[in-house]
Amino acid sequence: MLKTAMTLTPSPARASAARIGIGGPVGSGKTALIERLIPVLAGRGVDLAIVTNDLVTKEDAERLRRSGLIDPARVSAVEAGACPHTVIREDPTLNIAAGDALEAAFPGLDLLIFESGGDNLASTFSLDLVDWWIFVIDVAGGDDIPRKRGPGVLRCDLLVVNKTDLAPHVGIDLPAMLSEATAVRGGKAMIATNARSGDGIDAVADAICRAVLFAP
Amino acid sequence: MRVIDRIVGSRLDPEIAHRLHHLDHRHAVDILAIDSADMARRRLRATTRGGEEIAIALPREETLFDGAVLILDADRAVVVRVGAERWLRLAPRDKIAALELGYHAGNLHWRVRFDGDDLLVALEGPPEDYLARLGDLVSGGRVTHGLDARNEAA
Ligand SMILES: Nc1nc2c(ncn2[C@@H]2O[C@H](COP(=O)(O)OP(=O)(O)OP(=O)(O)O)[C@@H](O)[C@H]2O)c(=O)[nH]1
Ligand SMILES: [Mg+2]
């Protein structure tokens, strides 16, 4: 059990694990972010499990299982078929079932992370599936991404702008891209990360713990 | 911070209504206003009108509703009130504009209601974001628009 939640909750919690989503375009670094978050969250006493979504394979689940970062039994895969947003928005039944199975297998779970299959800027999560969600875009995708005002970028609870290390290599003015992202989101939360080096990962973990695990 | 992991009941339940009535006389009923877009969340932190920050962590089979009573103590209560949902009213000029509008609204997965000849779109962001998607349907005047506020519970 999460330490902070235990001290904050006098009666044994009836609620099930918090569920968060991580979505974003293909290759923006969703799995890389999760690989970085696992040890950071574990270090804070968060008991977690993961559901990945891929189009027609279980590639991301296999990668996480092989990573040595987490008990392979705590990673579950959903094959999304051709439309990755359908299984996180219109009909999240498969994902809900995968989450329920993990909760049944690991009582005391604090957090379930759902990685969406790589999609376009329009993908959003159903709040029936998750309580809170992150959208990951990357610097190499172009500094015009925020300006395109995709629903994923606009509506997510936290926007992560990843691969900051690549900015000089792809001719991106990072501060300008970040301020534009903040502007289109009306000031809602945004964090810049480098999943290679780990920069910004602690801040993402802080945001998760604050929003759904009620850390101070 | 108080963690709410169950809904006590509805303010419309006669027994609860009775107790709320008495607490209200003592100004001991606090309101937790929640944005309609956040109502489907099982977990969130929010601050009551009285200034208390509370954490909601409901089981997955439960959801918030307007009038949900979250705290009902001997000396105080907290009741959920849903913020008025905002709707963008879109009025197509003719049948052709209506067909095109319907196509776009479906393609963009907007949440809609029908009201006579108008289409109402639930707003989860600024109306300009929605209007921009309709391009020359709106700029060319084939669809006109206005804002509607109405309560989800109404
Ligand atoms: N330079 C750099 N590379 C990164 C960073 N984050 C991820 N990558 C690389 O980007 C590629 C894609 O990363 P993934 O984590 O697989 O991306 P994803 O979003 O999970 O991809 P899909 O699930 O296929 O949509 C990999 O080669 C990563 O090593 C970063 O911050 N900087
Ligand atoms: Mg991935």
Side-chain angles (χ1 to χ4, degrees):
Chain A
M1 283 298 287
L2 179 72
K3 288 182 208 88
T4 40
M6 282 231 305
T7 53
L8 292 169
T9 320
S11 58
R14 206 165 66 101
S16 26
R19 299 187 179 196
I20 66 168
I22 300 186
V26 178
S28 61
K30 299 177 288 298
T31 310
L33 176 67
I34 292 172
E35 287 166 337
R36 282 286 178 179
L37 282 171
I38 293 169
V40 174
L41 290 169
R44 298 181 187 197
V46 177
D47 189 339
L48 66 91
I50 299 160
V51 177
T52 65
N53 286 205
D54 275 302
L55 299 185
V56 288
T57 63
K58 298 182 167 55
E59 195 68 37
D60 279 357
E62 290 306 335
R63 174 170 150 198
L64 289 169
R65 286 181 187 134
R66 279 194 310 263
S67 70
L69 294 165
I70 187 166
D71 171 3
R74 287 174 175 262
V75 182
S76 179
V78 165
E79 286 185 24
C83 266
H85 55 263
T86 308
V87 292
I88 60 162
R89 188 178 55 207
E90 284 82 6
D91 182 7
T93 325
L94 285 175
N95 272 307
I96 291 173
D100 291 349
L102 282 169
E103 278 201 60
F106 299 97
L109 207 59
D110 297 310
L111 182 69
L112 262 167
I113 300 177
F114 293 84
E115 179 188 340
S116 147
D119 203 346
N120 57 37
L121 297 175
S123 69
T124 57
F125 278 88
S126 159
L127 293 177
D128 274 331
L129 175 61
V130 299
D131 304 305
W132 187 89
W133 55 285
I134 298 174
F135 199 74
V136 182
I137 59 174
D138 72 279
V139 164
D143 55 4
D144 53 349
I145 295 282
R147 275 203 296 284
K148 293 182 178 170
R149 307 181 73 89
V153 172
L154 296 185
R155 294 206 202 133
C156 62
D157 295 295
L158 171 66
L159 179 69
V160 165
V161 182
N162 188 36
K163 307 194 191 181
T164 50
D165 55 311
L166 296 183
H169 306 290
V170 289
I172 299 280
D173 179 349
L174 183 62
M177 181 178 177
L178 297 182
S179 66
E180 198 155 39
T182 308
V184 297
R185 285 171 51 71
K188 279 199 291 179
M190 183 201 60
I191 295 171
T193 59
N194 172 352
R196 271 275 158 82
S197 68
D199 285 354
I201 302 298
D202 271 311
V204 175
D206 287 346
I208 294 169
C209 291
R210 213 191 110 72
V212 296
L213 299 174
F214 312 134
Chain B
M1 185 172 34
R2 185 141 170 187
V3 178
I4 307 289
D5 64 3
R6 71 192 63 217
I7 293 171
V8 179
S10 163
R11 74 176 155 80
L12 300 178
D13 175 278
E15 198 175 314
I16 292 176
H18 183 72
R19 290 179 61 186
L20 286 175
H21 182 77
H22 283 283
L23 286 169
D24 205 24
H25 276 300
R26 289 150 54 194
H27 304 287
V29 177
D30 200 355
I31 298 292
L32 184 69
I34 297 183
D35 225 50
S36 58
D38 288 329
M39 285 298 284
R41 290 185 205 262
R42 307 304 197 283
R43 278 179 180 250
L44 76 154
R45 318 167 63 121
T47 305
T48 66
R49 294 225 173 118
E52 182 187 351
E53 194 182 16
I54 58 180
I56 295 173
L58 298 177
R60 305 228 68 86
E61 62 277 9
E62 275 181 39
T63 42
L64 293 170
F65 53 90
D66 188 58
V69 178
L70 302 182
I71 296 176
L72 189 57
D73 293 343
D75 54 352
R76 68 186 284 267
V78 171
V79 181
V80 170
R81 185 167 299 163
V82 187
E85 188 158 34
R86 293 188 317 143
W87 295 83
L88 178 63
R89 177 176 289 277
L90 296 167
R93 192 175 62 188
D94 52 30
K95 225 183 278 178
I96 298 169
L99 278 173
E100 239 183 282
L101 175 62
Y103 168 80
H104 285 302
N107 194 32
L108 292 160
H109 299 281
W110 286 345
R111 198 152 54 80
V112 301
R113 280 185 190 164
F114 301 98
D115 186 19
D117 291 341
D118 297 350
L119 186 72
L120 297 175
V121 178
L123 290 175
E124 283 158 31
E128 301 77 54
D129 286 352
Y130 292 77
L131 294 171
R133 299 280 76 75
L134 296 175
D136 60 3
L137 257 186
V138 166
S139 59
R142 292 190 294 133
V143 168
T144 52
H145 56 89
L147 277 185
D148 265 38
R150 77 159 70 158
N151 202 297
E152 179 123 278

